[in-house]
């Protein structure tokens, strides 16, 4: 995990964007009238590398639903670059450690499980 975190420092500059900051599926709403999705709850929005908005989904929703990953990236307008994919993996490692620290402290089994699952996927080399 430390190695992956360190590798973030060696990546070339990544595209910046104004990110949502809390990109959970609970903050994605579907408009039947418009036949499109839209984000709500922007209190954590900020300027950052665009790939940061994909970490939560990559460590939870996309794990069992690669079709949702494909659809999300289609809506994003492009696939992630090789550097962004590596950054996503590095950021997922940091997220896993955070979950494994805070989950038990907050008595949150779901947070702990997300961290453990991400760690297991990273160690098995199947994180995508």
């Amino acid at each position: 995990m430390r190695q992956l975190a360190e590798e973030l420092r060696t990546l070339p500059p990544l595209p910046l964007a104004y990110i949502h900051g809390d990109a959970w599926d609970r903050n994605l709403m579907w408009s039947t009238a418009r036949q499109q999705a839209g984000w709500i709850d922007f209190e954590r929005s900020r300027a950052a590398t665009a790939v940061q908005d994909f970490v939560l989904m990559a460590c939870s929703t996309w794990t069992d639903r690669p079709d949702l990953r494909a659809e999300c990236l289609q809506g994003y307008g492009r696939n992630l670059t090789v550097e962004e994919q590596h950054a996503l993996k590095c950021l997922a490692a940091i997220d896993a450690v955070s979950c494994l620290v805070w989950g038990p402290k907050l008595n949150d089994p779901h947070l702990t499980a997300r961290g453990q699952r991400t760690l297991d996927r990273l160690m098995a080399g199947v994180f995508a």
Side-chain angles (χ1 to χ4, degrees):
M1 297 302 106
R2 287 183 184 150
Q3 178 64 37
L4 287 172
E6 183 64 31
E7 288 174 16
L8 276 175
R9 296 172 44 164
T10 65
L11 288 172
L14 298 172
L16 295 176
Y18 197 73
I19 67 168
H20 183 272
D22 194 19
W24 283 103
D25 48 359
R26 67 174 181 255
N27 288 329
L28 190 58
M29 304 300 286
W30 179 255
S31 169
T32 305
R34 293 185 176 189
Q35 291 295 296
Q36 69 182 40
W39 291 105
I40 63 167
D41 189 11
F42 286 87
E43 68 186 36
R44 294 184 183 176
S45 59
R46 64 194 181 282
T49 57
V51 74
Q52 286 183 349
D53 249 351
F54 298 122
V55 174
L56 294 175
M57 291 181 284
C59 293
S60 59
T61 308
W62 294 350
T63 303
D64 297 320
R65 297 288 309 271
D67 59 316
L68 292 179
R69 180 184 192 278
E71 291 294 326
C72 183
L73 291 176
Q74 181 181 2
Y76 182 54
R78 65 178 178 82
N79 285 319
L80 300 177
T81 65
V82 171
E83 292 83 9
E84 288 173 316
Q85 289 174 16
H86 189 68
L88 182 60
K89 182 177 178 179
C90 295
L91 291 166
I94 293 169
D95 182 71
V97 171
S98 177
C99 290
L100 292 171
V101 169
W102 286 103
K105 283 184 180 182
L106 298 173
N107 196 26
D108 186 336
H110 298 290
L111 188 61
T112 305
R114 185 179 94 217
Q116 187 61 57
R117 186 173 191 183
T118 301
L119 177 63
D120 292 345
R121 291 174 60 224
L122 289 165
M123 298 301 291
V126 295
F127 186 87

